[in-house]
Amino acid sequence: MPLPDFLIAGVPKAGTTALHAALQPHPSLFLSAVKEPKFFLSDGPPPRHGGPGDVQTYQEHVWRREDYEALFAPAPAGALRGEATPFYLYDEKAHERIAALIPDAKIILLLRDPVDRAHSNWTHLWIAGLEPEADFLAACRAEESRIAAGWADFWHYTRQGLYGRQLANLYQHFPREQVLVLRYRELKDDPAVTLDRVCAFLGVETGVLSAIPKENVNRHVVEDNRVNGVLRWLLRSGGEFGHRLPVPVRLAARGPLLTLLHRKQGTRPVTTPAERAELLPLFAEDIALLQDVTGASYDDWLSVDRHANAR
């Protein structure tokens, strides 16, 4: 049975979904219909417990090898097979598993300013009704206790952004010529050139792809008020009664609850200079390491006053 030839392996909230969708039309590439199968994140079944919403996400993991290989069975003869799970870079054990099973795989990484990435991550979970903390910085301060409690990787807002140490570990398992490091802004600002870089790296025809699909950005605004607090509590826990309901029933109830929670639209919040000033010290040393590991400059990420989310 077939296995992937390449992986879009990182990072969350940095354009991996857009890249996955943009590569799909290429006649020499086959992307799995399931985006984020998460196969290399475990040696067996995923955990049974975690933070809000984690158990439902764990149930989506494609963790059996036969099921994972079946994702690539429909690939046309001669097409390069790939999938996108943006948590692979963060998980050092995943590096070992990938190297053991598909040592010749090519790895594609999209990196984003770590403060903006963390803020986008928090916004995603807040709008989904799963993040219990209305303040971004407070949620970041709660990170270590959440990790200790077994919350899934998507809650690791700041740790996910320590790309230097993650990439250094990846290079212990894969030669540099098998790893392509891109920046989120490159895909966003110059998609045709960036897609050609990806195609050249994979060894398929360039000049075929020129655009990425429009981003599916959630424009809903979830205010921190009493009504929304109840809705978010129901989405996080299902309440005492909800825990006794079958999972399919709870999943069916999410739609109406989210519709109520998302009744207001507006502009998504962006990272503020004050938030950047508090969080940048967490990343400064790792950004220096990233520059040493890659030989590229990421000095723009160290600015407190630059326009948020621009990189």
Side-chain angles (χ1 to χ4, degrees), residues 106-181:
K106 292 190 174 182
I107 310 292
I108 302 168
L109 306 174
L110 283 160
L111 306 184
R112 183 180 185 180
D113 174 293
V115 178
D116 291 344
R117 195 223 65 81
H119 190 272
S120 181
N121 197 157
W122 168 81
T123 302
H124 178 111
L125 289 168
W126 172 258
I127 291 175
L130 298 174
E131 171 57 68
E133 181 52 67
D135 180 79
F136 168 53
L137 291 178
C140 291
R141 296 184 196 112
E143 184 169 322
E144 293 304 316
S145 62
R146 292 174 171 186
I147 292 173
W151 290 29
D153 291 352
F154 200 38
W155 296 94
H156 303 187
Y157 298 151
T158 62
R159 282 200 190 184
Q160 285 272 2
L162 299 176
Y163 314 133
R165 67 172 67 172
Q166 296 163 22
L167 195 54
N169 186 79
L170 184 69
Y171 283 146
Q172 293 181 18
H173 300 278
F174 289 90
R176 290 172 179 263
E177 58 267 23
Q178 286 181 225
V179 180
L180 176 65
V181 181

Side-chain angles (χ1 to χ4, degrees), residues 232-251:
R232 290 170 52 252
W233 177 78
L234 289 170
L235 285 162
R236 289 197 307 273
S237 65
E240 196 65 32
F241 175 70
H243 281 302
R244 301 169 187 163
L245 295 175
V247 171
V249 176
R250 276 185 278 158
L251 289 174

